[in-house]
Each structure stands twice: as C-alpha cells, then as structure tokens.
Amino acid sequence: ENAYVAYYNWKRGVRAQGYDASGNPNLQVLVGPARSAEQSPPEEAIPEIALCAEDVSLKGGGTVKRYRVGGVIPSTQAWVDTEQEFADAMGGEIIDAAGCLSIKVGAARSTAFAVTADEFLIGQEIERQDVAPIQSRFNRIQLSYVSLAHAGGWLTTPLRADAAARAEDGKDIDESAPLRLVTSGTQAQRISQIRLRANRLQRRLAVPVGPKFCLIEPGDWGTVTSARHTGGATRTFVVDKVAHYAERSHLWLIETASSVYAWTPSTDEITPGAVQPSPSTPPGAAALSSFAVSAITIAGAGGAQVPALRFTWTAVTDPSIRSVLIEVERVIDGVGQGNIAHYY
C-alpha cells in the first residue's frame, strides 16, 4: 500500500499474460502508460518510496505510514487524471520534466540552490507576484476520502480553518475536493493541512539567472534573497518549471516552506465529530483614510470617451498592509446584480 510503489507500478504498466494474433504468448498491458525503465528510472523512485514509508505519529498513540493508497483505477481513465489522483493522495505535485510527468511526494526537502540579487541577469525581465488573486485563495478546507469501514462510502475530514488567513481575505473562502485513493482519515487530514498552508504562501517569481543554474530541475527546492523581490529576507521556493539556454536559465518559482509539511498530532490532528473551539474574532480589514470615488471618462478605442471610476485615498504607511482590495458591484433600481469587480 506504499503510495509511490503503487504509483510506480502503475506507471510502468500492469500486465497480464495474453496471446498475439498468431497464438504466441505475450504480455498485455492492462492499465498504465507502460513506461520503460529509461523513461521512469527506478533509482529516482526510491527516495519518494522512502518518504511514503516514514512513520507518522497518531494523536491517540501508535504510528501510521506517511502515504498509503487503495482503490480501483479504471483502464479507460485518462492517464493524467490517474496521475493527479496519485499526487493528491501523496500531498504532492505533478512535475513536468521535458514532457515526462512524475510526482514529488508532499514532504519537506533540502535546498539545491541559492539565488541572490547579484545573480539576476541584467536586462532580462523579472516577474513577481506577492499576493495571489482572491479567486485562487482559500482559508477553510474540507476533503473527502473513501472509508473502508463504510463499505467504500465517502467521509469528509473535519473542517480546517486558518483564522489569520480569514482576516486577510475578509471573508470565509472554502475549498473541497475528493481523495479517491485515500482510505485513511488521518492521512486525509494531513493532506488538507498541507493544502491550506501551501495556499497561503502566495509569492511567485520568474527570474533569469546564469549558466551555473543549468542543472536545476522542476521540483527542486532553493532560496532567493533580494532586497527588492523578497524584502531582503531569504525565502524558500520550489521550481515549477525551467528553461535552459546556451548561456542562461530561466526559473519559475513558487514559494514553499518546511513548515507546510510539519505535523504535530496533539494540535494538528482533529478528532472526527469533536466540537472545535471557534477562533477568536479576527480584526476587520483596515480602513483607508480619505477614500473617495469619482465618475470620470477616459479615452477608449478610436478616441471615444468611455465611463470609468477613479479611486483616491491617503497613502498607506503601515508596512504590514500589502494590498488594497476594492469591490465594486453594479446596482440597478436598488438591487445588486452580483457581478462584483475586484481591484487591487
């Protein structure tokens, strides 16, 4: 039931004895992409298998293996969908390395590189995102998994919420998803914790660097230190994708941290059915000073004047405020139309 062993076997192809048109015996692939050992080297799978086999303590005593799976994989299911189901069950991510998909198990990793501002290539564009769009964030999560004790029916994990994230977002934003290959409630809880923590690390960077980084691959962890792009702090990122050229490389990075995968059973594991204490009421969003809205017209296509809104306020000096959220809803005859526009 080691999750990565099952995944690797599926990837290499599950076969059965069959016969060709001439009646000669041969092996028929029943399910899986049937990749060769060259396409899916077993030595690359061994570290991931070891991570899945690590013991994780339970709140009530004893241990379980980190990631296990169980379930049925239809032979007609698209390979990429099965790949995603395995990744979900391991709290991990699908890595695309030169068109060959693999999974990195959800676990903290050592860093393989360190980038400083001096190593950014001059004259090349750097892309940065400090705050993710509200549509891609969530502050509460509840996952469903398969319960063998209930004849294969679905159960849901206890609702897991982040009060600080809720205060930042200004409202509850829920996330839910099925874990079709997970049969353990505590494993599903750990995966929900990973997803919630990872979602709140919102920084993204795309940086051009020199040839010394030509061996970096998707899934590698590293650090970036820059006064302008990380506020002078050393932050940890995972490589989402790379592009290597003759004399330079381009790295697309997603912020991560070892704390995303930390698990303290006494505080993180929630007893199913237990009434969870309500978090203290988070502070409301900070108000802007001298906020004003005025209707204006601006030049549109062909020089035509089109209506617009101008927002003004006194400059914010609080260093803890990273963005301003403005919501505008169209109202007709006193009735809101529900089409809310967001401005940052």
Side-chain angles (χ1 to χ4, degrees), residues 71-337:
V72 177
I73 298 174
S75 60
T76 55
Q77 181 167 278
W79 293 341
V80 68
D81 293 337
T82 303
E83 198 109 22
Q84 187 62 60
E85 289 178 353
F86 273 114
D88 292 343
M90 292 183 269
E93 297 291 340
I94 296 176
I95 302 300
D96 186 349
C100 187
L101 302 182
S102 63
I103 293 174
K104 285 288 188 180
V105 170
R109 299 175 184 270
S110 57
T111 54
F113 63 92
V115 180
T116 63
D118 294 338
E119 292 166 306
F120 297 152
L121 295 183
I122 298 175
Q124 299 289 323
E125 182 179 4
I126 296 176
E127 299 176 29
R128 188 183 85 207
Q129 171 190 284
D130 292 330
V131 180
I134 191 82
Q135 296 88 346
S136 64
R137 303 200 302 261
F138 55 87
N139 49 56
R140 304 198 309 176
I141 186 170
Q142 193 167 34
L143 302 180
S144 55
Y145 63 97
V146 179
S147 171
L148 300 181
H150 294 78
W154 290 95
L155 290 182
T156 56
T157 61
L159 181 67
R160 192 174 297 273
D162 185 330
R166 199 275 182 201
E168 181 180 351
D169 296 334
K171 59 182 178 180
D172 293 328
I173 306 176
D174 293 331
E175 169 75 356
S176 62
L179 300 173
R180 205 174 66 81
L181 297 181
V182 174
T183 60
S184 163
T186 54
Q187 180 174 325
Q189 283 199 44
R190 285 186 275 114
I191 294 170
S192 69
Q193 182 78 295
I194 289 170
R195 288 195 181 187
L196 182 57
R197 288 173 173 167
N199 182 262
R200 306 313 301 186
L201 295 177
Q202 304 171 49
R203 292 179 180 83
R204 304 290 187 268
L205 282 175
V207 296
V209 291
K212 66 177 284 187
F213 299 97
C214 66
L215 298 180
I216 299 303
E217 299 177 343
D220 286 346
W221 282 32
T223 61
V224 177
T225 308
S226 165
R228 180 175 181 180
H229 297 294
T230 66
T234 298
R235 300 194 179 277
T236 303
F237 293 84
V238 61
V239 179
D240 181 38
K241 58 182 180 177
V242 299
H244 296 303
Y245 306 98
E247 297 181 353
R248 62 185 175 89
S249 294
H250 209 95
L251 310 179
W252 284 264
L253 308 173
I254 298 174
E255 188 177 11
T256 188
S258 297
S259 58
V260 168
Y261 305 97
W263 182 257
T264 304
S266 60
T267 55
D268 292 335
E269 185 179 327
I270 303 172
T271 302
V275 177
Q276 299 303 307
S278 300
S280 57
T281 303
L288 295 174
S289 177
S290 302
F291 181 80
V293 182
S294 56
I296 61 172
T297 58
I298 58 176
Q305 296 295 303
V306 296
L309 295 174
R310 174 184 287 131
F311 306 103
T312 59
W313 60 84
T314 302
V316 178
T317 59
D318 185 345
S320 67
I321 296 178
R322 296 186 296 173
S323 63
V324 174
L325 170 63
I326 302 172
E327 295 185 345
V328 177
E329 180 177 10
R330 187 181 182 188
V331 177
I332 299 177
D333 295 331
V335 179
Q337 302 303 299

